[in-house]
Amino acid sequence: MRDLRGLLQTSLHRHDLMVGLIFIAFALYFVAQTFGVVGFAALFTEGFEAALLDADLPVGTARRMGPGFFPLLLTGLLFGLGVILVARGVRATPDGNIQPMPWRGMLFILGATIFFGATVRGLGLVPTTAIAVLLASYASQRMTLRLAAILSVVLTIFVLAVFHYGLGLPLRVYGPWLDFLFGAG
């Protein structure tokens, strides 16, 4: 039993392997969302070109991008990164010393992402981004309140400039949950 445990410790790097498998699973989920059920089935049975023809979101070309182009591109990057991490996860570690799972970081970053997705329409882009950045910044044990506040302000201004004013996404700056503070509209 001790030999098996030693073999597992020297041949698997748990963090990279786990994160790589999670990335691949999310990539497959996003591909299924882009292609739809019929297109996703066609991807495995008939190939990539058949899946493009059956996609729920038209992908288009690089010159004339459809609504499915950018999600498919990001999904490909996510899948590729997942494959790289899985490959790194099965490499041999020189000392066999595996650190414990960084649960704090995973919980704060995942919690901030879920918070953002659940409240962006109700709270609006500015307060949701500010709170989500504050939450995610505490994934690091070295984060201070002052640095987290500065990071939150800078990233909120950046997100507002790029997504609201630059790209014109139809998200309210302050959502309906805050109408009592800022007035309706």
Side-chain angles (χ1 to χ4, degrees):
M1 184 66 176
R2 179 176 273 178
D3 292 336
L4 178 61
R5 198 162 113 209
L7 175 67
L8 286 175
Q9 285 182 343
T10 58
S11 64
L12 293 179
H13 196 192
R14 282 190 317 194
H15 302 117
D16 289 342
L17 184 65
M18 181 186 289
V19 170
L21 291 174
I22 290 171
F23 281 8
I24 289 171
F26 273 116
L28 290 175
Y29 172 76
F30 292 139
V31 165
Q33 292 296 312
T34 301
F35 285 149
V37 175
V38 174
F40 190 66
L43 179 66
F44 294 106
T45 58
E46 300 170 28
F48 187 72
E49 289 183 17
L52 287 176
L53 294 174
D54 293 334
D56 282 353
L57 293 174
V59 176
T61 63
R63 189 168 267 177
R64 292 190 65 104
M65 295 180 199
F69 186 86
F70 194 66
L72 189 61
L73 179 69
L74 289 179
T75 299
L77 290 173
L78 186 64
F79 186 82
L81 185 60
V83 168
I84 290 169
L85 286 172
V86 166
R88 280 187 52 177
V90 296
R91 69 173 162 64
T93 57
D95 59 358
N97 186 12
I98 297 176
Q99 300 296 323
M101 185 62 71
W103 292 109
R104 175 188 171 121
M106 287 178 22
L107 291 176
F108 272 105
I109 291 173
L110 185 60
T113 306
I114 291 170
F115 172 80
F116 185 87
T119 62
V120 70
R121 293 197 188 273
L123 281 176
L125 189 61
V126 168
T128 304
T129 303
I131 294 169
V133 170
L134 280 173
L135 285 172
S137 66
Y138 281 99
S140 170
Q141 293 177 346
R142 295 179 289 188
M143 182 60 65
T144 63
L145 181 59
R146 181 173 182 238
L147 186 57
I150 291 169
L151 183 65
S152 178
V153 168
V154 169
L155 284 177
T156 300
I157 290 169
F158 176 77
V159 165
L160 185 66
V162 169
F163 294 103
H164 184 73
Y165 295 114
L167 295 174
L169 289 182
L171 293 172
R172 289 177 56 176
V173 175
Y174 295 99
W177 296 350
L178 301 176
D179 280 346
F180 70 94
L181 290 175
F182 302 105

